[in-house]
């Protein structure tokens, strides 16, 4: 079984870039102490917004803008639910995912019944690759070398003590969630751009894989990037290896398709012992 | 500060209190637990909004809505449990909330930090995580944080609560140095020897009211003690207990903490019939895990627990309750009561299978009502009817109810975690009195508290827990403040 290395690299990058953006979004949120399983729904909504604004306006920048706005709005909703109303962070995240799945499907159906067949205009994926790399670098610098990063991790580790030191945990968390929305907006727009048009549930669990990469990366930007590349590589291999034979036996396609999810499971189970989670994660 | 009043619900925490402190001096603010010391200081620090108060600094009136505003006005506060975040480095903790600019120049910050440390005669490993600091190290870092913020008014709440006597003296030497440099230092404490030895003026609060404010040289230890308690103080005496049969025994007990490491390490503990044993320690040294293991909610990794001859190591909590285990948990909302249930229903929690609450599989309605009545009356819980939901009670009254329930029926072993949290002096006396009473009738008790003074006052014997190890003070030192204080911080 011969694999074209060049092609593998390209598909690895293609498949990891949305993970990187989403995982970094998860990073800003979770380092501030807000658990965020709503990444999936936020990405899906952003992808939907990018597609349909890109279709209507035929302007790729407006598509990206729409994705970012939708992402930021959804994450502020998560903030309001968890910080102002004290709703459990997991439940709020699940609500966002459920809302996104229903709403995007509804919008999509609306367009299908209108009989719209034109393709949306979207930014090229290379733009997002650069954005993803820049985001890793930027977040690395922010976390380690700025006041914002210091306050973010202080709030994530101990909101009460931070408040005593004159830092407002709630304000910081809203800001962190805005950053999450922004990054998930980019990630969703990229997924749309990879596919070319919107289909129901097109993020297909990437939000959860991004979360897994974030955990494996120990909530730090560069290790998270590497974890995302790993997941991208597995997904790329999966595409390349489908239909090939392993040790003389033919392997069902389903095995390869399930591979990324399997690895996620094993990685999470194996790494739970070395917990580097922010100490204040989930604390109101 | 003039005419400060503050109410919490129906409790008047402060009534028309005046407080004056001048610069270049150490002021002491003293009073019993619940006298309103911390409340007064939190108002000054912007952490609480008083019902009424006039606060002036250097002659100009101020009003702080948040701590951030107070910090900007040059006020710094070191709280009892410190505000150091373990996961950050020492340098990051020092800067947090008062970073010089949006971009952190760690090299420059470290130079300034080292300079401040040198002035105070301290030395720090700035890049090390703050979790590695000893209690004394944390206290030093807190003082540097005040200097970093250029605080002119420094409030220290129970600064010596977690320090050994030697470290306490060193702390006061530092504070004296700061006062000489022009700072106003306010020390909240209930340790009178410290006041007499190190402070210049003292303000006494009792039950939310100003009792006295005078220069330390015009008063003495006994007078202060009387002012604080409100009547002359009799030195407490305890009837010596003859050693009776050991009821509770933990041997080599090891329990895993939630982070995966051993939170309790090979702990040995014995409690005899009639004994009230205190477990002293700084918060987070394994008390919670030990408590959970004894009540049966945490799995025992190694070692064994037994009570009155029956092996508890693997027994479910229900059987331990049947053996007479009764608990007063730390967080009554999470573990003690169900907020939306009535007092009557809450009275049966944990006792639902006991006689008086159940008749076979059925609820004994009459018995439960009578028991609830008895529980509520025992510590004079103020309530609006036994059918009212638990959440309609104030915190202190909920705590009275929870404590009374633990002592209600067939009690043989009371395990209490900070049993007097939220209770006033009267409630505290009632609860400890009742625990003592049960023990006289043949039960035993283990009291976990972060307040060593309370334990010394109330227990027969105190053991310390430090970093998961239970250590017994030497013979004759079971209630010796200095000896136990050293064990609590791991010094020998």
């Amino acid at each position: 079984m011969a694999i074209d290395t060049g092609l593998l690299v390209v598909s690895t990058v293609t498949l990891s870039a949305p993970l990187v953006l989403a995982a970094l979004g998860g990073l800003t949120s979770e380092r501030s102490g807000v658990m965020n399983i709503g990444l999936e729904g936020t990405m899906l909504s952003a992808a939907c917004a990018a597609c349909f604004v890109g279709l209507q306006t035929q302007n790729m920048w407006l598509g990206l803008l729409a994705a970012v706005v939708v992402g930021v709005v959804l994450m502020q909703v998560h903030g309001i639910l968890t910080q102002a109303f004290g709703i459990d962070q997991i439940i709020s995240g699940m609500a966002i995912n459920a809302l996104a799945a229903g709403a995007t499907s509804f919008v999509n159906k609306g367009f299908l019944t209108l009989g719209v067949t034109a393709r949306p205009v979207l930014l090229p994926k290379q733009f997002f690759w650069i954005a993803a790399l820049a985001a890793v670098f930027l977040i690395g610098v922010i976390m380690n070398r700025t006041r914002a990063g210091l306050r973010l991790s202080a709030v994530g580790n101990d909101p009460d003590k931070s408040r005593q030191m004159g830092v407002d945990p709630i304000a910081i968390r809203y800001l962190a969630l805005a950053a999450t929305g922004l990054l998930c907006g980019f990630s969703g727009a990229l997924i749309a751009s990879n596919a070319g048009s919107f289909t129901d549930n097109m993020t297909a669990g990437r939000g959860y894989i991004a979360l897994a990469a974030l955990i494996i990366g120990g909530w730090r930007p560069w290790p998270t990037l590497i974890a995302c590349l790993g997941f991208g590589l597995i997904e790329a291999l999966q595409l390349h290896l489908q239909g090939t034979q392993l040790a003389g036996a033919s392997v069902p396609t389903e095995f390869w398709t399930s591979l990324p999810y399997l690895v996620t499971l094993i990685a999470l189970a194996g790494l739970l012992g070395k917990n580097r989670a922010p100490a204040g994660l989930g604390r109101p | 500060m003039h005419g400060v009043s503050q109410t919490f619900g129906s409790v008047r925490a402060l009534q028309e209190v005046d407080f004056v402190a001048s610069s270049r001096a150490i002021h002491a603010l003293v009073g019993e637990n619940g006298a309103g010391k911390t409340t007064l200081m939190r108002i000054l620090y912007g952490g609480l909004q008083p019902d009424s108060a006039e606060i002036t600094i250097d002659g100009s009136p101020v009003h702080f809505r948040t701590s951030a505003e107070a910090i900007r006005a040059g006020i710094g506060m070191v709280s009892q449990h410190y505000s150091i975040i373990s996961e950050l480095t020492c340098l990051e903790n020092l800067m947090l909330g008062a970073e010089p600019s949006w971009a952190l120049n760690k090299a420059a910050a470290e130079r300034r930090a080292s300079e401040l440390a040198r002035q105070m005669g301290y030395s720090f490993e700035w890049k090390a995580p703050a979790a590695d600091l000893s209690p004394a190290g944390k206290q030093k870092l807190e003082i540097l944080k005040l200097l970093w913020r250029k605080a002119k008014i420094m409030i220290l709440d129970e600064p010596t609560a977690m320090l050994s006597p030697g470290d306490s003296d060193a702390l006061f030497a530092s504070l004296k140095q700061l006062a000489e440099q022009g700072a106003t230092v306010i020390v909240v404490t209930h340790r009178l020897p410290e006041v007499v030895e190190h402070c210049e003026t003292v303000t006494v609060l009792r039950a939310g009211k100003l009792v006295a404010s005078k220069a330390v040289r015009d008063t003495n230890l006994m007078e202060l003690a009387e002012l604080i308690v409100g009547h002359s103080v009799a030195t407490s005496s305890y009837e010596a207990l003859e050693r009776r049969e050991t009821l509770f025994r933990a041997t080599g007990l090891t329990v895993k903490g939630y982070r995966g490491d051993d939170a309790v390490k090979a702990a040995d503990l014995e409690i005899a019939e009639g004994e009230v044993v205190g477990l002293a320690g700084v918060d987070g040294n394994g008390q919670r895990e030990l408590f959970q293991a004894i009540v049966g909610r945490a799995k025992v990794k190694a070692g064994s627990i037994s009570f009155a001859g029956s092996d508890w190591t693997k027994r479910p909590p229900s059987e331990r309750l049947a053996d007479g285990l009764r608990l007063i948990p730390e967080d009554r909302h999470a573990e003690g009561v169900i907020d939306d249930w009535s007092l009557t229903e809450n009275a049966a929690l944990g006792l639902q299978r006991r006689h008086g609450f159940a008749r076979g599989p059925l609820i004994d309605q009459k018995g439960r009502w009578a028991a609830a009545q008895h529980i509520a009356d025992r510590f004079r819980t103020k309530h609006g009817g036994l059918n009212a939901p638990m959440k309609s009670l104030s915190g202190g009254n909920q705590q009275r109810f929870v404590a009374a329930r633990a002592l209600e029926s067939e009690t043989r072993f009371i395990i209490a975690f900070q049993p007097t949290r939220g209770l006033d002096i009267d409630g505290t006396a009632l609860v400890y009195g009742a625990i003592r009473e049960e023990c006289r009738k043949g039960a035993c008790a283990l009291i976990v508290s972060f307040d060593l003074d309370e334990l010394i006052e109330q227990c027969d014997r105190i053991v310390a827990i430090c970093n998961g190890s239970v250590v017994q003070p030497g013979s004759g030192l079971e209630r010796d403040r200095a000896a136990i204080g050293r064990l609590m911080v791991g010094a020998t």
Side-chain angles (χ1 to χ4, degrees):
Chain A
M1 57 181 195
I3 294 176
D4 182 340
T5 325
L7 209 61
L8 188 67
V9 169
V10 172
S11 45
T12 301
V13 173
T14 309
L15 292 164
S16 357
L19 294 180
V20 174
L21 287 163
L24 290 173
L27 187 144
T28 61
S29 160
E30 301 221 333
R31 284 292 292 270
S32 82
V34 181
M35 271 193 275
N36 209 327
I37 65 162
L39 296 181
E40 172 79 10
T42 311
M43 285 159 72
L44 184 62
S45 309
C48 182
C51 277
F52 291 112
V53 173
L55 184 69
Q56 287 295 349
T57 62
Q58 295 292 309
N59 181 324
M60 51 193 189
W61 294 106
L62 283 179
L64 177 66
L65 183 70
V68 167
V69 168
V70 165
V72 171
V73 166
L74 272 181
M75 282 295 98
Q76 292 305 304
V77 168
H78 187 49
I80 291 166
L81 287 179
T82 57
Q83 305 305 312
F85 292 104
I87 289 173
D88 186 276
Q89 299 178 350
I90 294 282
I91 292 180
S92 167
M94 279 168 60
I96 284 171
N97 288 343
L99 175 73
T104 54
S105 174
F106 176 73
V107 172
N108 194 23
K109 269 212 186 72
F111 272 85
L112 287 179
T113 43
L114 284 176
V116 182
T117 49
R119 307 278 288 175
V121 178
L122 296 158
L123 281 160
K125 56 191 175 190
Q126 287 79 1
F127 165 80
F128 291 100
W129 295 358
I130 295 164
L133 201 63
V136 177
F137 181 77
L138 210 67
I139 291 194
V141 171
I142 289 174
M143 289 309 295
N144 287 315
R145 293 177 190 279
T146 69
R147 165 158 59 193
L150 172 59
R151 292 188 171 188
L152 187 77
S153 51
V155 162
N157 278 311
D158 202 318
D160 297 331
K161 288 180 177 172
S162 303
R163 192 176 293 114
Q164 266 181 16
M165 293 335 292
V167 177
D168 181 358
I170 307 293
I172 300 250
R173 284 176 170 181
Y174 278 117
L175 276 176
L177 282 169
T180 307
L182 175 83
L183 288 159
C184 284
F186 269 71
S187 175
L190 169 55
I191 287 174
S193 161
N194 278 343
S197 68
F198 186 79
T199 49
D200 280 353
N201 192 28
M202 70 186 303
T203 46
R206 283 195 183 82
Y208 298 110
I209 295 183
L211 219 47
L214 177 64
I215 295 169
I216 294 168
W219 286 269
R220 289 162 300 170
W222 289 99
T224 301
L225 169 71
I226 291 167
C228 288
L229 285 171
F231 279 115
L233 177 66
I234 294 162
E235 231 187 312
L237 274 174
Q238 176 257 117
L239 291 174
H240 284 271
L241 292 177
Q242 267 179 26
T244 58
Q245 295 201 329
L246 197 66
S250 89
V251 181
T253 320
E254 287 77 8
F255 174 77
W256 297 117
T257 325
S258 63
L259 201 58
Y261 303 97
L262 260 176
V263 172
T264 307
L265 258 178
I266 293 165
L268 288 183
L271 280 158
L272 275 182
K274 310 174 205 156
N275 197 345
R276 295 181 58 98
L281 196 59
R283 263 172 51 185
Chain B
M1 298 178 82
H2 180 72
V4 184
S5 295
Q6 171 85 41
T7 50
F8 298 116
S10 59
V11 181
R12 301 198 68 180
L14 288 176
Q15 294 174 45
E16 298 286 320
V17 170
D18 298 335
F19 181 79
V20 180
S22 59
S23 62
R24 297 181 187 278
I26 303 180
H27 302 268
L29 179 60
V30 298
E32 285 199 286
N33 290 338
K37 302 173 302 227
T38 302
T39 307
L40 184 66
M41 287 301 110
R42 280 181 63 199
I43 288 170
L44 177 55
Y45 190 57
L48 275 176
Q49 294 306 311
D51 303 334
S52 67
E54 279 170 38
I55 306 173
T56 52
I57 296 175
D58 289 338
S60 46
V62 288
H63 175 71
F64 305 128
R65 270 162 304 165
T66 62
S67 299
E69 290 180 14
I71 291 169
R72 272 197 295 279
I75 298 178
M77 179 159 174
V78 179
S79 72
Q80 197 174 349
H81 298 289
Y82 306 141
S83 53
I84 288 175
I85 299 173
S86 308
E87 289 78 6
L88 303 181
T89 66
C90 295
L91 187 66
E92 286 171 337
N93 265 298
L94 184 72
M95 289 191 290
L96 179 63
E99 306 85 349
S101 72
W102 67 270
L104 302 180
N105 182 345
K106 288 196 178 170
E110 198 174 325
R111 272 197 302 278
R112 195 181 144 212
S114 304
E115 173 57 27
L116 288 177
R118 204 184 49 75
Q119 285 172 18
M120 297 305 300
Y122 304 155
S123 84
F124 271 95
E125 190 60 62
W126 289 110
K127 291 190 188 72
D132 298 348
L133 290 174
S134 67
K138 284 187 180 158
Q139 186 64 264
K140 286 175 181 165
L141 185 54
E142 288 284 6
I143 287 177
L144 292 183
K145 277 167 76 172
L146 295 175
L147 293 176
W148 177 272
R149 286 144 192 273
K150 302 195 171 79
K152 291 189 292 287
I153 300 175
M154 307 179 176
I155 310 165
L156 293 97
D157 190 3
E158 302 282 353
T160 56
M162 299 184 193
L163 298 186
S164 66
D167 288 331
S168 300
D169 290 341
L171 170 74
F172 274 103
S174 295
L175 294 179
K176 192 153 267 167
Q177 187 186 336
L178 292 172
E180 276 160 12
Q181 287 163 9
T184 305
V185 181
I186 303 169
V187 176
V188 178
T189 183
H190 57 253
R191 292 187 187 165
L192 298 179
E194 285 175 6
V195 176
V196 175
E197 205 171 322
H198 300 290
C199 302
E200 274 106 56
T201 59
V202 55
T203 301
V204 183
L205 294 185
R206 183 184 341 132
K209 290 190 190 122
L210 178 71
V211 177
S213 189
K214 47 172 69 183
V216 168
R217 62 173 182 277
D218 298 337
T219 181
N220 59 48
L221 208 59
M222 276 316 286
E223 190 196 2
L224 279 178
E226 281 179 32
L227 285 171
I228 287 171
V229 188
H231 49 81
S232 58
V233 193
T235 29
S236 60
S237 66
Y238 279 86
E239 38 196 305
L241 275 168
E242 82 241 47
R243 188 91 182 149
R244 281 184 277 187
E245 182 203 355
T246 301
L247 279 178
F248 174 82
R249 183 175 276 127
T251 319
L253 185 66
T254 302
V255 186
K256 257 169 102 168
Y258 84 109
R259 288 219 152 189
D261 46 349
D262 290 342
V264 179
K265 296 166 191 150
D268 293 322
L269 181 63
E270 287 186 357
I271 305 170
E273 189 187 326
E275 234 185 350
V276 181
V277 174
L279 183 71
V282 177
D283 193 4
N285 270 290
Q287 293 97 324
R288 280 189 190 85
E289 289 79 0
L290 182 65
F291 183 91
Q292 302 288 15
I294 294 174
V295 304
R297 265 203 311 263
K299 228 164 95 182
V300 173
K301 189 176 158 194
S304 68
I305 307 173
S306 69
F307 182 79
S310 73
D311 184 11
W312 272 11
T313 316
K314 290 205 170 77
R315 288 192 118 193
S318 62
E319 289 176 29
R320 300 184 200 207
L321 291 171
D323 281 350
L325 173 71
R326 297 290 179 267
L327 36 146
I328 304 175
E330 177 189 20
D331 181 350
R332 58 178 168 265
H333 296 291
E335 300 169 344
V337 298
I338 297 174
D339 284 341
D340 290 319
W341 282 17
S342 71
L343 265 62
T344 322
E345 288 165 323
N346 270 296
L349 282 186
L351 304 171
Q352 65 274 26
R353 291 177 204 172
R354 301 273 80 74
H355 175 73
F357 291 93
R359 229 178 283 165
L362 300 176
I363 293 173
D364 181 349
Q365 299 281 4
K366 264 193 205 142
R368 191 174 71 171
W369 182 271
Q373 189 73 55
H374 185 246
I375 290 170
D377 290 348
R378 182 157 193 173
F379 294 151
R380 302 201 277 273
T381 303
K382 289 194 197 85
H383 60 84
L386 292 175
N387 280 327
M390 187 51 96
K391 66 181 173 199
S392 65
L393 269 58
S394 74
N397 279 312
Q398 288 181 2
Q399 187 68 16
R400 282 169 186 240
F401 192 85
V402 170
R405 183 181 63 197
L407 305 167
E408 175 62 16
S409 92
E410 298 157 51
T411 304
R412 298 210 60 208
F413 178 29
I414 304 150
I415 174 162
F417 203 117
Q418 301 264 61
T420 56
R421 207 168 91 161
L423 289 187
D424 51 16
I425 297 165
D426 169 53
T428 306
L430 279 172
V431 169
Y432 276 111
I435 290 175
R436 179 68 57 189
E437 181 62 34
E438 289 298 326
C439 290
R440 210 166 280 137
K441 289 192 287 192
C444 63
L446 177 66
I447 317 282
V448 184
S449 178
F450 307 133
D451 185 346
L452 180 54
D453 293 311
E454 182 178 314
L455 293 177
I456 288 174
E457 209 171 305
Q458 306 290 355
C459 300
D460 299 318
R461 179 163 74 86
I462 296 165
V463 295
I465 185 163
C466 175
N467 201 12
S469 304
V470 173
V471 269
Q472 328 264 349
S475 160
L477 297 172
E478 289 93 346
R479 287 171 61 216
D480 185 281
R481 169 157 233 298
I484 297 163
R486 278 196 296 278
L487 294 177
M488 277 165 62
V489 295
T492 43

